[in-house]
Amino acid sequence: MRIIQLFYGNLYDDGVGNTVQTIDRQLKSMGYDAEILNSWITPDMLTNRYFAPDDVILYQYSVRMDPLLQYVNCKKVLVFHNITYPELLYGFNIDNLRMDCECGLYELDSTKNLFPKAIVFSEFSKNTLISHGWKEENIFSLSIMIKADLFKDTPDKNVIEKYKGKSTNILFTGRIFPNKKQEDIIRAFHVYKNKYNKNSKLFLVGPVKCDDYSDYLKNLTHKLGLDDDVIFSGFVSWSEYLAYYKAADLFLCMSAHEGFCIPLLESMFMQVPILAINETAIPYTLGDGGLILENREPAYVADMMNKVLSDNELKNDMINKGNLRFRYLTEEAGDKKWEDALNTILLEISKEKNLFNPVPESVLWKHKEKQTDIPDFLSSRSSKKIILYGFGAKGQELLRNDGNRLNIVAICDKNINTVNTANIPDNIDLLNIKDSVSKYPEACYIITVQNRAALVQIAANIINCGVNSSDIFIYESDERRIFRSEDHTSELQSRS
């Protein structure tokens, strides 16, 4: 029996991806044959019987359903992260995602007929499933784990020296995306700064996931005269991420949709008092580990900010309660709780009949992917050694579809210890950047990461290890093309 986490998205710098990796480690520590499949199901997987009847799919559901999952004859468990409200995504040129979320919410009604059991991470998500016809006894509630040891790493000294103790610092961590409602944070900060504390700064720490929304936030910041006081960090290293927490005096969350909200746990662990809006999963995760905001009115939020920041006794009490809440959630997310829950789920579904539909002939088409547009420099020199940077969904896609046309000798990733090696052929090495440069000094690099800000930083890191910029290429999945990074430097930087 294999336990396969079926997931399509970013395994790194993403709440869902981090949870997938955590579950994978937990399953392997329990002795299960576990793997992560970062891909949509293809017709070939159905015809080649990639899935065995006694396999278990843990389907990570955060946007919409894989259309072919209903035809897979195996055991299935829904892992429900909740789905962003589509109405939050209007007006920012992300209509494809908005429509996917619309479909995902519509498809929720049918999940009870495909999955005997479900895992959720908040009372909010549990109630969402119940409202779509699920029976409460089939839903298992677990807390998401964070790797506390990582938060004991050394924070970046430059960020600390630049900001800590120099001003009153407000922090929010999370991707720049409409559901996070960073505009409400900016408006409340504007009132707080003008009314209560001129010497204050706002840190919005996280990668840009929506260019139009990022532009909107920056225009709002400029209009309010906050250009020097609102810091958009973009993609940051782990040590920089920790440093912003160390420099923070208050964590302010105004997100309009969360399935759990991991940064609340991070703030508790890092001893930062929390103010957070009373919406979706936030009050369930926060508990009494911070103060709840009952509305988004900037004057009210600013007044609450000042109430906390001007009262050391209150602030210390919030930090202490945050410690207790973190300890409770950590115990709820402990290995024993997860092990007991997973064993119970696997035992119960082993007794259930597999839920699947017969595969219609129309699905079993022999499809041909559009071939990737590979530069002559790479395709005409098959002996040229190539190293892929990034082995998430897009890296696996490139290897699967075009590996026979490229002489791929190694794979690099941000953290090679968490890479799913099941889909890497034995003749391909898994290396960090420095080791790859040492072993293959003449190789070219293809970066498969799709986030522009991240790939600019990755390219810089590769160059810093001694690779010529002319030997670095970018894989653009949507356009199915590979291009030389230095030929598009201005485009990449303008979009990062």
Side-chain angles (χ1 to χ4, degrees), residues 325-337:
R325 181 64 179 169
F326 179 84
R327 194 176 308 152
Y328 170 79
L329 290 171
T330 301
E331 290 172 357
E332 287 295 300
D335 290 348
K336 186 67 169 62
K337 287 280 182 78

Side-chain angles (χ1 to χ4, degrees), residues 209-254:
K209 296 293 184 176
C210 176
D211 291 334
D212 283 13
Y213 182 62
S214 176
D215 291 342
Y216 164 67
L217 293 179
K218 290 176 180 177
N219 288 336
L220 174 63
T221 299
H222 179 71
K223 181 179 178 181
L224 296 176
L226 297 172
D227 290 330
D228 296 330
D229 302 306
V230 177
I231 289 84
F232 293 89
S233 74
F235 178 83
V236 295
S237 67
W238 181 248
S239 63
E240 290 171 326
Y241 188 75
L242 293 178
Y244 281 109
Y245 271 112
K246 285 287 187 182
D249 297 293
L250 177 70
F251 186 88
L252 178 59
C253 176
M254 302 294 287

Side-chain angles (χ1 to χ4, degrees), residues 86-355:
E87 57 266 28
L88 297 173
L89 307 180
Y90 277 101
F92 296 106
N93 199 27
I94 45 175
D95 287 342
N96 287 342
L97 177 59
R98 177 179 58 77
M99 289 186 285
D100 278 346
C101 291
E102 293 269 15
C103 291
L105 288 172
Y106 175 79
E107 291 163 341
L108 262 183
D109 285 337
S110 64
T111 55
K112 63 182 180 295
N113 302 318
L114 186 60
F115 302 92
K117 305 295 177 185
I119 295 171
V120 297
F121 303 109
S122 68
E123 194 73 13
F124 167 66
S125 292
K126 179 180 176 180
N127 291 337
T128 301
L129 288 185
I130 291 173
S131 71
H132 285 270
W134 276 77
K135 294 180 179 179
E136 186 173 357
E137 59 264 29
N138 292 328
I139 304 171
F140 289 74
S141 296
L142 290 168
S143 287
I144 291 178
M145 295 176 276
I146 68 168
K147 293 182 284 185
D149 287 347
L150 289 179
F151 286 83
K152 298 174 184 176
D153 288 353
T154 303
D156 182 84
K157 66 177 183 179
N158 293 326
V159 173
I160 295 288
E161 290 174 359
K162 186 174 182 180
Y163 295 119
K164 187 172 177 61
K166 306 292 177 60
S167 57
T168 298
N169 299 321
I170 315 302
L171 172 68
F172 176 74
T173 59
R175 59 184 180 161
I176 302 296
F177 205 71
N179 71 297
K180 301 298 182 182
K181 286 290 181 180
Q182 281 100 338
E183 71 267 34
D184 288 346
I185 299 176
I186 293 170
R187 291 189 179 103
F189 173 72
H190 175 248
V191 176
Y192 172 77
K193 184 176 182 66
N194 287 331
K195 185 176 180 180
Y196 298 108
N197 188 344
K198 298 291 184 185
N199 185 30
S200 54
K201 290 189 180 296
L202 170 62
F203 303 138
L204 297 176
V205 177
V208 174
K209 296 293 184 176
C210 176
D211 291 334
D212 283 13
Y213 182 62
S214 176
D215 291 342
Y216 164 67
L217 293 179
K218 290 176 180 177
N219 288 336
L220 174 63
T221 299
H222 179 71
K223 181 179 178 181
L224 296 176
L226 297 172
D227 290 330
D228 296 330
D229 302 306
V230 177
I231 289 84
F232 293 89
S233 74
F235 178 83
V236 295
S237 67
W238 181 248
S239 63
E240 290 171 326
Y241 188 75
L242 293 178
Y244 281 109
Y245 271 112
K246 285 287 187 182
D249 297 293
L250 177 70
F251 186 88
L252 178 59
C253 176
M254 302 294 287
S255 181
H257 187 276
E258 295 289 343
F260 183 78
C261 199
I262 290 175
L264 296 179
L265 269 72
E266 297 175 348
S267 300
M268 293 172 195
F269 185 80
M270 297 297 287
Q271 311 291 295
V272 182
I274 301 166
L275 281 177
I277 193 72
N278 188 19
E279 293 185 17
T280 60
I282 290 171
Y284 299 105
T285 302
L286 185 60
D288 60 358
L291 292 182
I292 286 290
L293 298 168
E294 297 298 342
N295 67 66
R296 297 176 174 276
E297 177 60 38
Y300 160 73
V301 178
D303 184 58
M304 292 293 289
M305 292 165 65
N306 183 61
K307 179 180 177 180
V308 174
L309 291 166
S310 61
D311 187 337
N312 285 333
E313 185 176 346
L314 172 60
K315 188 161 69 169
N316 291 332
D317 182 60
M318 291 172 65
I319 291 171
N320 290 333
K321 287 181 177 177
N323 291 335
L324 293 174
R325 181 64 179 169
F326 179 84
R327 194 176 308 152
Y328 170 79
L329 290 171
T330 301
E331 290 172 357
E332 287 295 300
D335 290 348
K336 186 67 169 62
K337 287 280 182 78
W338 271 79
E339 185 173 336
D340 289 346
L342 289 171
N343 281 331
T344 300
I345 292 169
L346 293 172
L347 177 63
E348 290 188 9
I349 65 168
S350 69
K351 302 172 184 176
E352 300 266 1
K353 182 180 178 182
N354 287 1
L355 301 176

Side-chain angles (χ1 to χ4, degrees), residues 443-479:
C444 289
Y445 286 75
I446 299 177
I447 302 172
T448 66
V449 175
Q450 301 299 293
N451 179 273
R452 294 293 178 174
L455 68 84
V456 169
Q457 183 62 54
I458 291 165
N461 291 342
I462 295 173
I463 292 169
N464 288 339
C465 288
V467 177
N468 193 299
S469 61
S470 63
D471 287 330
I472 300 175
F473 293 76
I474 306 296
Y475 171 55
E476 192 172 62
S477 174
D478 290 346
E479 299 296 328

